[in-house]
Amino acid sequence: MRRFPIKAVRNLTVSHPLNLSLIEHSRNLNLEQLPSDSKEHVPQSSAVKSRERDKLRNATRAHRDIPSLKPMKSYRLNRLFNAKSGHCFDVAVDHGFFNENAFLNGIENMDTTVKTLVEADPDAIQLSVGQAPKLQAIPGKQKPALALRSDVANVYGTALTNELFSKIIEQPVEQAIRLDASCIVVNLFQIPEHAEVAAQCIDNILKLKPLCDAACMPLMIEPLVFAPNEGKGGYRVNGDIEKIVPLVRQAVELGADIIKADPCDHPNEYHRVVETAGSIPVLVRGGGKVSNRVILERTEALMAQGVRGIVYGRNIIQHENPKGMTQALMRLVHDRISVDEALTLIEASPSSRSLDAKL
């Protein structure tokens, strides 16, 4: 029977995600008792020898034995979800990735943006590869986890071109590991009359899923149902629950570890999305900016439907008091305070006109 030399496990190139999983798996083995190239056999019986040989054989197939590595993926998820409530508030600040000027309002200076959000202390901040170092360079261990955006698209304009795309970055998992990300985020678009973009998104996910599993990197899939780009123009949420549910189901079938989905028109129906996701935690997007009371009441209603948290962007970064709004939402998500109590927190917090106002 052909043996896999243990020194080969020790000498694997760490940068490759399959090798990362193999190395982690091999650490659980008693390497001193495993057969090596020099045939130094320590086991004292054929039964022990056989068991140790089977362990080594399984280690060489670690990338095909993902369920045994699943607990390692949970270590990163633990950094996203609050230990007491089990919920997550992720602030999305990856808007500059999509080349839309309107998205930049309030985040013109990303150094100040990230610093302000870190002080507000959400559970996570969603950033692109170009901006993620601004978060991770901040010293100390008390800072939000990084959710790394892995795809760039041109689908948010008021006038869509005939050639839409959604492309993932090169070596996404390796970049996520180097940036110490807690998860990777990827879109699953459903845009009227643009089935080719949905096909690109599915291709992206099919490539990412095995790489994420091999490196124990959680995959957050973002199923987004677009309303027709007519009349008002630009990206608009389609809140039809009958369209949201099947796209969420597709994200589950594709292997999501976390679902980040749009809200529906009637929040009291959102339990259907949660039920569709099953054991996969659902985080709800904020969509366009609305009033304080509207976003707080929506959040309260969605939490009551069983969602595990929220991912809000413009309702934070374009708010006149982003720190106060973040802290109010954190209390609502984790401590389940009332909407009126949350509004009081916002009013009591020192206000600024934008995240860049202190410059």
Side-chain angles (χ1 to χ4, degrees):
M1 184 178 296
R2 183 174 180 269
R3 299 190 180 98
F4 190 88
I6 197 61
K7 67 179 182 181
V9 176
R10 293 186 176 122
N11 295 332
L12 286 170
T13 302
V14 176
S15 63
H16 195 285
L18 297 185
N19 294 343
L20 282 167
S21 64
L22 178 53
I23 290 170
E24 291 292 342
H25 192 91
S26 67
R27 286 172 180 164
N28 296 324
L29 304 178
N30 187 346
L31 297 182
E32 298 303 320
Q33 294 184 0
L34 294 176
S36 67
D37 276 349
S38 59
K39 300 183 179 181
E40 295 175 358
H41 297 274
V42 176
Q44 299 176 353
S45 69
S46 60
V48 173
K49 184 187 300 182
S50 177
R51 285 196 299 270
E52 297 299 332
R53 190 181 297 122
D54 288 343
K55 286 182 182 179
L56 184 55
R57 187 184 303 113
N58 290 337
T60 67
R61 295 198 300 260
H63 62 286
R64 288 184 286 170
D65 188 26
I66 299 307
S68 68
L69 300 171
K70 190 173 181 179
M72 294 165 59
K73 186 180 287 188
S74 71
Y75 302 159
R76 286 192 172 94
L77 291 173
N78 287 343
R79 291 156 61 184
L80 286 172
F81 291 89
N82 182 276
K84 294 182 179 180
S85 70
H87 298 154
C88 174
F89 177 19
D90 175 14
V91 179
V93 203
D94 54 353
H95 301 73
F97 216 26
F98 302 103
N99 192 27
E100 288 296 323
N101 187 56
F103 286 180
L104 302 181
N105 181 25
I107 57 171
E108 291 85 354
N109 186 300
M110 282 296 291
D111 290 296
T112 301
T113 296
V114 172
K115 180 180 178 181
T116 301
L117 291 176
V118 169
E119 291 174 355
D121 197 28
D123 298 298
I125 300 179
Q126 186 170 298
L127 293 162
S128 66
V129 289
Q131 303 288 4
K134 297 183 186 303
L135 170 65
Q136 302 301 56
I138 295 174
K141 59 183 180 180
Q142 297 300 327
K143 60 184 175 184
L146 169 64
L148 184 69
R149 164 65 64 188
S150 68
D151 54 343
V152 58
N154 67 338
V155 299
Y156 296 106
T158 54
L160 299 182
T161 67
N162 292 328
E163 297 183 8
L164 301 183
F165 64 81
S166 181
K167 299 183 178 182
I168 55 173
I169 59 177
E170 289 293 324
Q171 299 182 337
V173 175
E174 288 92 331
Q175 293 201 63
I177 291 171
R178 286 194 290 268
L179 289 166
D180 194 27
S182 293
C183 72
I184 280 182
V185 186
V186 65
N187 282 306
L188 177 58
F189 294 128
Q190 181 175 298
I191 305 174
E193 300 182 9
H194 287 282
E196 76 282 359
V197 182
Q200 290 178 36
C201 290
I202 291 173
D203 284 343
N204 293 342
I205 295 169
L206 293 176
K207 293 173 183 175
L208 275 172
K209 173 61 178 172
L211 297 175
C212 285
D213 282 346
C216 304
M217 178 64 67
L219 179 62
M220 182 189 294
I221 299 181
E222 189 172 352
L224 302 182
V225 182
F226 281 43
N229 196 51
E230 301 169 355
K232 183 179 177 181
Y235 164 63
R236 289 183 295 143
V237 172
N238 188 329
D240 185 349
I241 192 73
E242 301 300 332
K243 293 183 178 179
I244 294 173
V245 164
L247 196 61
V248 167
R249 177 57 182 266
Q250 186 175 44
V252 173
E253 301 284 350
L254 288 167
D257 297 301
I258 310 169
I259 298 290
K260 174 186 171 186
D262 275 327
C264 61
D265 293 332
H266 305 289
N268 61 352
E269 296 180 326
Y270 213 77
H271 64 275
R272 293 180 56 190
V273 175
V274 175
E275 291 163 1
T276 297
S279 62
I280 308 303
V282 175
L283 307 181
V284 187
R285 300 175 71 254
K289 190 176 184 306
V290 294
S291 70
N292 292 350
R293 180 168 288 277
V294 168
I295 195 65
L296 291 170
E297 289 180 345
R298 183 196 299 167
T299 303
E300 182 182 56
L302 290 167
M303 295 301 297
Q305 293 289 303
V307 305
R308 291 282 299 279
I310 54 177
V311 183
Y312 290 174
R314 283 168 283 177
N315 283 288
I316 303 298
I317 61 179
Q318 294 179 357
H319 195 276
E320 63 179 6
N321 185 5
K323 183 176 180 179
M325 175 57 88
T326 298
Q327 293 175 336
L329 283 166
M330 284 288 284
R331 292 290 309 281
L332 194 153
V333 167
H334 295 304
D335 301 326
R336 306 303 290 272
I337 65 173
S338 69
V339 170
D340 287 337
E341 289 175 309
L343 286 169
T344 300
L345 287 176
I346 298 171
E347 293 168 1
S349 176
S351 180
S352 61
R353 295 189 62 181
S354 77
L355 285 170
D356 295 321
K358 61 180 70 177
L359 290 181

